[in-house]
Amino acid sequence: MLRKSADYIKSLKGKNPIVCLTAYTAPIARAIDDKVDLMLVGDSLGMVLYEYENTLQVTLEQMIDHAKSVVGASKNSCVIVDMPFGTYEDSINKAFLNVARVMKETNCNGVKLEGGQKMSNTIQHLCKSSIPVMGHIGLQPQSVLIDGGYKVRGKEKSEWQKYIDDAIAVEEAGAFSVVLEGMAEPLAAEITSILNIPTIGIGASPKCDGQILVTEDMLGLTNVAPKFVKKYIDLDKIIKSAVCQFSDDVKNRNFPSADHIYHMHPKIVSGNNKNS
Ligand code: KIV
């Protein structure tokens, strides 16, 4: 089966809900590859894997290294890589060079960048240069220091037009889809009904064309998960229980058992070795 493309994801608008999750590492990518349509190598990896306070410290090199493992360990889903803070905002040319590096070095299917109207010229240039781009509007984690922090957007109707204009700008610039993050539900539903490209919600609306979560959040591997996260399993608890059993086995000398050790070749054991 061929890997799903950004065009294929775009074609799902109005058809099937689009299933998306983040993947930062090979084991997670391998586990979820044939169950999701799209895997995002999100810059949330800075907070989830590296314990950074926000996503601003994440580097292009980190994104490239993680994206290489995710692409290498998967073959079905569309892999999109987040452009980290500081690699695309400054100039269209710099954005193109950094995005081209990500595409060349990782063999991913496209990139995601944050920003609506203010990023539309960049998105347009990238799309015209044959690079599939996913937009990201609403709560933009790379702007939390200046933009009201992690607060939900569009709770007042007076705020709506800005976000609707952002969404339209991203679509008109040529993006194949757009993430709507941290938005009042009716605003996300309204944007979804206006756009011709799929909206992917996170803390948004069940009416979005697809949904995305941080995989570690839904698996119960992160300390604090926001209200919009549904925890499907408590892997932290399961890991702790497995490690407890391992610890008991080691302390009681029950591990390694005969099944887990290397035995001598039978000839050597039976004393046929001349030098023995
Ligand atoms: O970085 C990320 O994981 C994201 C998703 C939360 C959409 O941008």
Side-chain angles (χ1 to χ4, degrees):
M1 193 168 84
L2 268 185
R3 192 187 276 284
K4 291 170 184 168
S5 65
D7 261 355
Y8 171 76
I9 300 297
K10 187 176 173 184
S11 77
L12 294 175
K13 173 99 184 172
K15 295 185 190 136
N16 301 331
I18 305 164
V19 183
C20 313
L21 280 173
T22 60
Y24 316 132
T25 60
I28 293 285
R30 229 178 277 120
I32 69 175
D33 182 36
D34 61 356
K35 301 282 178 280
V36 299
D37 296 308
L38 182 148
M39 289 195 282
L40 173 71
V41 185
D43 62 352
S44 51
L45 64 79
M47 296 162 86
V48 176
L49 300 185
Y50 294 92
E51 298 276 353
Y52 299 159
E53 196 179 328
N54 53 45
T55 56
L56 297 162
Q57 283 175 263
V58 176
T59 65
L60 194 62
E61 286 68 29
Q62 281 173 311
M63 295 308 298
I64 289 173
D65 285 347
H66 284 279
K68 279 183 188 165
S69 339
V70 169
V71 172
S74 62
K75 52 183 189 308
N76 299 314
S77 47
C78 179
V79 178
I80 299 301
V81 180
D82 251 345
M83 293 306 293
F85 172 72
T87 61
Y88 63 93
E89 307 87 336
D90 189 29
S91 75
I92 293 179
N93 193 40
K94 183 170 172 192
F96 174 76
L97 292 175
N98 284 328
V99 168
R101 188 174 159 206
V102 169
M103 300 297 294
K104 270 181 198 295
E105 292 188 28
T106 72
N107 197 26
C108 66
N109 295 86
V111 294
K112 172 165 86 58
L113 47 92
E114 295 181 11
Q117 296 160 80
K118 70 174 186 208
M119 289 315 301
S120 64
N121 288 340
T122 302
I123 297 175
Q124 189 174 44
H125 181 76
L126 294 172
C127 294
K128 283 197 173 138
S129 311
S130 313
I131 297 159
V133 178
M134 183 179 218
H136 183 152
I137 64 165
L139 194 165
Q140 294 165 33
Q142 292 176 11
S143 305
V144 285
L145 297 183
I146 51 136
D147 203 14
Y150 289 98
K151 88 171 182 342
V152 176
R153 312 298 146 123
K155 282 198 165 183
E156 299 295 333
K157 199 119 194 212
S158 55
E159 293 174 56
W160 279 31
Q161 199 54 49
K162 177 208 173 320
Y163 295 108
I164 293 171
D165 291 346
D166 276 347
I168 292 171
V170 166
E171 169 169 329
E172 285 180 349
F176 74 90
S177 70
V178 60
V179 168
L180 307 183
E181 178 166 357
M183 270 188 190
E185 192 279 329
L187 171 59
E190 173 78 358
I191 291 175
T192 301
S193 75
I194 293 172
L195 294 193
N196 297 303
I197 55 170
T199 59
I200 307 297
I202 174 159
S205 167
K207 296 204 182 89
C208 287
D209 301 293
Q211 301 294 332
I212 187 161
L213 282 176
V214 167
T215 303
E216 283 76 358
D217 281 344
M218 56 86 85
L219 295 180
L221 282 171
T222 42
N223 285 345
V224 215
K227 169 193 160 104
F228 59 77
V229 172
K230 178 168 171 185
K231 209 199 252 192
Y232 286 81
I233 189 170
D234 192 345
L235 269 194
D236 185 63
K237 201 165 149 195
I238 293 172
I239 290 173
K240 285 192 171 105
S241 150
V243 173
C244 245
Q245 290 174 48
F246 172 69
S247 164
D248 287 348
D249 278 353
V250 171
K251 287 176 186 156
N252 299 324
R253 300 203 181 279
N254 289 333
F255 178 84
S257 67
D259 287 345
H260 304 110
I261 55 179
Y262 297 103
H263 300 277
M264 300 285 281
H265 192 283
K267 262 200 224 155
I268 298 172
V269 172
S270 63
N272 282 350
N273 188 333
K274 273 194 210 148
N275 301 327
S276 65

